[in-house]
Amino acid sequence: MTNNRAVPAYDSQDLWQKDKDHFIHPFTDFSLFNEKGCDLITDSDGIYVEDVHGNRFIDGIAGLWCVNVGHGRAEIGQAMADQATRMAYFSTFNNLSNAPATELAAKLAELAPSHLNHVFYSCGGSAANDATIRLVHYYFNRLGKPKKKHILSRTNAYHGTTYMAASLTGIESNNWEFDTLDHLVTHLSEANCYRQPEGMTEADYCDHLVDELERTIKRIGADNIAAFIAEPIMGAGGVLMAPQGYHARMQAVCRANHILYIADEVVTGFGRLGHFFASEAVFDTQPDIINVAKGLTSGYAPLGATLISDELYAVLSTPQGPGGVLSTGFTYSGHPVSCAAALKNIEIIEREGLCENVRDIGPYLERKLKTLADHETVGDIRGSHFMMAIENVADKVTKKTLPVEARVGDRVAAEAQKRGLIIRPVGHLNIISPPLIWTRQIVDDVVAILDESFAATTLSLKVDGYL
C-alpha cells in the first residue's frame, strides 16, 4: 500500500481460524464457508485493498456500494478522532442535540430537493427504511387515516434485512425460511428492460408497469395504501434500469391516489450517478421521503438518514397532546462521530468535484464495459455511471440463464480476483460499483482484467459441460 500508517502485523492462519470459528458473516454461503472460510481484507488505500497475505486488488465495488471517496482518507479519520476526543457521544433524546448532527442535517437539507428539509437519523440503510415505514404509519394515524398501512414495493427490490426492510425486499432468495410481514407489503413487477415482455417497445413496457400499479391500487384500495418505495436503479436485485419516464409516472399515480412516494437512495445517493441525490436530478421525481446511508459517510462510520418533506414534517411535529412525544428513534441517532465523518466526506466530494468526475468518467466506463459483449456468456451490460452490472446467460437469443450450480457469477469474480480486481457476484450477475475516484486509465485496466476473466470463465464452463 502507498500510505505510511503504522499497522499491526497479523498471523494470517490464526486470524482466518478465529474468523471461521466466531464471525457470522452476512449473506454467507455456508457450503463454501464451512470448508474455505473467508478472504481477509486487512488494508486499503485509495482504490486498492489488500488481503492478509499482502495481495493487492483494485476495489471494484467500493467496499459495498459505499466507499465513494476512496479508502484511507486521513482527513475523515482525523475528523472522527477530533470529534471522539471532544465528545464521542451524548444522547439526542428529549430536546438534546450535538453540533455535527445539527450541521449535517442542515447540509443535507441544502443538497436535497428543496422540499426535503428535515432529517431523521438511523444507523444504516435497513434501519432507515424500517424507521421510515414506522414514521409513515404514524403520519397517517395522525391524519386520522389508520387504515393506510399497506406498502407497495417491487420484485427484486432490495431495501435491507431488518424485519420490515426484509419484508419490503423483493429478492426471493433473501427471505428463504425467514418470516416477513406479508400482510403489509405487496410487490409489483420489477422494472427490467432486458427482460421486458417480448414484442413490447420501451414505451409500451412503461405503460404496462404503470397500468399494473393502477390496477393494484384499485384492487387493494387507495385508502389502505400508505406508500410506494423504489430504488431509482435497483441495486442488489441486478442493477435494473426502468424504462424512460417510469419513476415520474409512478409518482404521478401515487400522488393522484394520496400515496406517499419513498425513494431508497441508499446506493444511488452521494455521487454514484453523478449527483448527491439522483431522484430529482436524474429521474425527475420529487419524493416525499428519501432514505440514504452508505455513501453518506463513504462507509467510514455507520449512519443512515431519512429526509422528510415539509408537508410530512408539519404533521409529525404537531404535538399529540400534553406529554406526547415522537416516541421513536435510536440510541445512536445523530451519533456525533458518524456525523463528523459524513460532513468531512461531503466536503471532499464537493471540493474534489467527485460528482463531476462520475459524470465525466461514468459514460466512458459504460462504453468500455460494452466491449465485453462479444463474450459467449455476456447477455446484458447495463446500468448508469458508477453503478453497472453484467448479466451472464447460457444463450444470448433466448436469454436463458446457466444453472445455479454452474456458479457463473462466482467464477467470473474468482477469475477477476486472481488478476487483481474485486467485483461482486450475485447469482448469474457481476456488479461493478467503484469508488468515485476512478480515472480513464483505471477503467482501461479493469476492463482488460474483465476481458481475460470472461474468456477464462467461458473456457471453464465448457470444460465442466455447462456450455
Side-chain angles (χ1 to χ4, degrees):
M1 311 307 294
T2 59
N3 58 56
N4 296 312
R5 293 171 292 142
V7 295
Y10 295 108
D11 180 327
S12 60
Q13 181 60 34
D14 176 66
L15 195 63
W16 177 88
Q17 193 65 53
K18 287 176 179 175
D19 184 89
K20 189 169 179 290
D21 289 346
H22 303 294
F23 187 179
I24 303 174
H25 292 263
F27 291 90
T28 298
D29 182 342
F30 285 107
S31 67
L32 299 176
F33 179 82
N34 289 338
E35 177 185 352
K36 298 181 178 180
C38 274
D39 295 330
L40 287 153
I41 303 299
T42 57
D43 294 272
S44 63
D45 182 36
I47 65 165
Y48 298 100
V49 295
E50 191 173 288
D51 70 15
V52 71
H53 304 293
N55 301 307
R56 191 170 79 152
F57 309 94
I58 297 171
D59 178 5
I61 58 174
L64 187 64
W65 308 100
C66 62
V67 187
N68 289 7
V69 300
H71 298 277
R73 292 283 191 156
E75 58 186 304
I76 298 181
Q78 190 61 55
M80 295 170 68
D82 290 345
Q83 183 59 48
T85 52
R86 181 171 187 171
M87 186 191 73
Y89 173 76
F90 202 79
S91 171
T92 57
F93 285 27
N94 303 115
N95 298 335
L96 296 167
S97 193
N98 66 70
T102 299
E103 293 288 358
L104 179 59
K107 185 63 179 179
L108 293 174
E110 173 193 321
L111 295 170
S114 60
H115 63 296
L116 298 173
N117 289 303
H118 311 278
V119 178
F120 183 86
Y121 290 115
S122 52
C123 302
S126 294
N129 285 322
D130 225 302
T132 291
I133 302 307
R134 191 156 197 241
L135 289 171
V136 164
H137 287 167
Y138 176 77
Y139 167 78
F140 283 116
N141 289 343
R142 299 286 289 125
L143 288 178
K145 299 179 179 181
K147 292 199 305 178
K148 285 180 78 71
K149 291 290 187 289
H150 212 78
I151 309 297
L152 302 179
S153 184
R154 299 183 294 173
T155 301
N156 277 322
Y158 183 83
H159 298 294
T161 59
T162 53
Y163 224 111
M164 187 68 229
S167 302
L168 299 172
T169 291
I171 302 172
E172 183 183 0
S173 60
N174 273 33
N175 292 323
W176 283 347
E177 298 194 48
F178 282 96
D179 291 341
T180 53
L181 303 171
D182 295 334
H183 65 288
L184 284 175
V185 182
T186 292
H187 289 93
L188 303 170
S189 298
E190 65 188 14
N192 183 349
C193 286
Y194 179 58
R195 294 186 177 277
Q196 69 189 42
E198 192 172 348
M200 282 190 182
T201 65
E202 184 174 333
D204 292 336
Y205 184 43
C206 191
D207 290 342
H208 170 75
L209 294 170
V210 173
D211 180 64
E212 181 191 25
L213 172 63
E214 292 175 330
R215 286 185 284 105
T216 302
I217 293 172
K218 185 174 181 180
R219 174 172 58 83
I220 298 173
D223 290 343
N224 299 314
I225 302 172
F228 170 61
I229 185 168
E231 304 152 272
I233 296 176
M234 295 174 81
V239 188
L240 299 181
M241 301 286 290
Q244 184 72 29
Y246 165 88
H247 286 288
R249 290 185 62 188
M250 296 290 274
Q251 183 185 36
V253 172
C254 289
R255 286 265 168 88
N257 288 277
H258 306 290
I259 295 168
L260 299 179
Y261 190 89
I262 304 168
D264 181 346
E265 290 224 41
V266 168
V267 171
T268 58
F270 298 91
R272 189 142 300 280
L273 300 184
H275 301 272
F276 274 100
F277 297 93
S279 291
E280 188 171 59
V282 180
F283 297 99
D284 193 28
T285 58
Q286 294 78 40
D288 299 288
I289 294 172
I290 292 179
N291 290 329
V292 295
K294 293 190 182 293
L296 172 58
T297 66
S298 280
Y300 281 69
L303 186 64
T306 296
L307 281 63
I308 295 171
S309 72
D310 295 330
E311 182 179 351
L312 268 70
Y313 181 74
V315 175
L316 298 177
S317 62
T318 300
Q320 303 150 321
V325 298
L326 183 66
S327 53
T328 189
F330 306 93
T331 298
Y332 297 128
S333 291
H335 193 285
V337 176
S338 294
C339 291
L343 285 164
K344 184 58 68 173
N345 174 63
I346 291 169
E347 178 187 318
I348 291 170
I349 293 172
E350 291 186 314
R351 185 181 72 228
E352 297 186 2
L354 296 187
C355 288
E356 291 82 356
N357 186 63
V358 171
R359 295 200 295 272
D360 177 30
I361 304 298
Y364 183 73
L365 174 61
E366 293 175 40
R367 291 196 301 273
K368 291 292 289 187
L369 287 175
K370 289 183 186 300
T371 65
L372 302 171
D374 290 340
H375 285 282
E376 188 172 340
T377 63
V378 173
D380 192 32
I381 300 164
R382 59 176 176 264
S384 179
H385 293 78
F386 278 27
M387 186 175 180
M388 301 294 297
I390 299 172
E391 182 165 345
N392 299 284
V393 296
D395 187 298
K396 293 192 180 197
V397 176
T398 64
K399 303 179 184 178
K400 180 183 177 181
T401 57
L402 288 147
V404 172
E405 57 269 24
R407 292 183 177 271
V408 61
D410 290 325
R411 288 179 189 241
V412 174
E415 293 290 348
Q417 192 162 328
K418 287 180 191 175
R419 294 164 173 79
L421 168 67
I422 293 178
I423 58 174
R424 186 181 180 195
V426 180
H428 61 287
L429 305 168
N430 290 103
I431 290 174
I432 299 99
S433 58
L436 309 188
I437 57 175
W438 271 16
T439 63
R440 279 176 170 75
Q441 182 58 58
I442 294 298
V443 169
D444 290 345
D445 294 343
V446 164
V447 173
I449 291 172
L450 290 173
D451 190 35
E452 293 181 8
S453 301
F454 278 102
T457 297
T458 300
L459 180 60
S460 74
L461 289 167
K462 288 181 176 178
V463 168
D464 292 341
Y466 291 112
L467 287 177

